[in-house]
Amino acid sequence: KKAKAVNAKLDDELKKEYEEILAKIDGYNGEELGLLITKHGIKNGDNEVLPPVEYNLMFSTTLGASGPAFLRPETAQAQFLNFASLLEQNQNEMPFASASVGKSYRNEISPRSGLLRVREFLMGEIEMYVDPEGGKKHPRFEEIKDVELAMLDRHTQTAGKTDVRKIPIGKAVADGIVDNETLGYFLARIQQFMAKIGVDQSKLRFRQHMANEMAHYAADCWDAELLTSYGWIECVGCADRSAYDLTVHMKKTGAPLLVRETRKQPLHIEEWQATLDKKKAGPKFKKDGKAIEAAIDALTQEMREKLSLDLEREGKITLEVPEISAGSVELEKDLIKIEKATRIENTREYIPNVIEPSFGFGRILYSLLEHSFWTRPDDAARS
């Protein structure tokens, strides 16, 4: 009743402006939200609202004598750390998936809304490891390609609208609305799961993350949202995390979190190869030898080609080596050889990409209870 009374006082132009803002709200950054707060005089009761600031939702703590640590904000990272073991358990075959269920923790500024915004919650995550070169196809996509989803894509939101379209997932992938088959497969399976547990299908939609809302590493991301008395609530996130997590863990730990597989046909690669004569370079450069060798290995193909011409023309080259005191070194023809050669690769190494459905069980359960609640029209007490 209160909402109806407020809406009755809004003129059409202002109402349209509010609807557009709400449609695009997830795409605003902190500065833009601050301008909206000022423009529309938004207050917290009678108190002024402070400008938006970035806030770390991870719980900090200390772990033994090792210093600062954090409670996990998701269950995914343990799976990534165990990737090499998981791959071995799957007999080194791709693609495959892992899953985990457990408690996660986020330092919500203001917990509220029952099970919807809490500091400790139960979540489940699936990590599907796929070959990025294969177009992220899914072997069972044909089974679900005709499943229709109510979709709210980012272009509709950017235009300030919230109109959903019912689209078969096969068409959504073919038209590029959803980035790839594996992501589309899980979106369809999420819908089927929701239907099976009794969620009201008229109160389910899939909303695509807007450009500046997406994580910096994500190729595409969709939220399964359920309509409740609190509005549309994100209950399942489904993201293409690309190769970000495995790449970062590999850099930090040095563990080879990658896939090695034998090529069906050997690959012939023509490239510029730079070889340092270690027998002569060792006595000449002594302790600087390793840094010089590393600098040569780091040269790009373009730079190697340029240096080969310099070596041919002048009989020597100058190589930048920031790690040594002189900052650069002069290498003559008798110390280095740069020439074009063909390398044969029989094995292929790659870091898998990851498609991740992430379920918030508390939110799903709460929404399901709301969707299941009913009263007799003429006797609300007998519910």
Side-chain angles (χ1 to χ4, degrees), residues 79 86 90 93-99 126-129 186 355:
Q79 296 181 67
L86 293 169
N90 201 51
E93 289 183 5
M94 287 283 291
F96 74 98
S98 62
I126 299 167
E127 311 301 332
M128 181 80 188
Y129 307 95
F186 279 110
I355 313 296

Side-chain angles (χ1 to χ4, degrees), residues 270-274 301-302 304-305 308 338-341:
E270 200 174 59
E271 63 183 11
W272 288 95
Q273 293 182 356
Q301 285 294 304
E302 290 79 13
R304 290 179 188 206
E305 185 177 4
S308 74
I338 305 175
E339 57 189 4
K340 209 162 200 181

Side-chain angles (χ1 to χ4, degrees), residues 175-209:
D175 292 350
I177 299 168
V178 173
D179 188 70
N180 57 73
E181 279 189 10
T182 301
L183 187 62
Y185 175 84
F186 279 110
L187 292 179
R189 287 298 190 211
I190 288 165
Q191 169 150 307
Q192 291 176 333
F193 166 71
M194 292 293 192
K196 194 164 188 175
I197 63 173
V199 162
D200 185 341
Q201 295 296 287
S202 68
K203 295 178 180 178
L204 166 65
R205 74 180 185 188
F206 289 86
R207 187 185 69 81
Q208 188 176 28
H209 280 208

Side-chain angles (χ1 to χ4, degrees), residues 26-28 154-155 157-158 207-216 218 221:
D26 289 303
Y28 290 121
R154 67 167 63 99
H155 302 297
Q157 296 171 75
T158 305
R207 187 185 69 81
Q208 188 176 28
H209 280 208
M210 298 167 81
N212 66 341
E213 179 191 2
M214 266 201 315
H216 62 279
C221 186

Side-chain angles (χ1 to χ4, degrees), residues 30 33-38 42-44 47-53:
L33 287 171
L35 291 171
L36 281 176
I37 289 168
T38 305
I42 296 170
K43 291 190 174 184
N44 181 12
N47 302 319
E48 297 292 330
V49 178
L50 295 173
V53 293

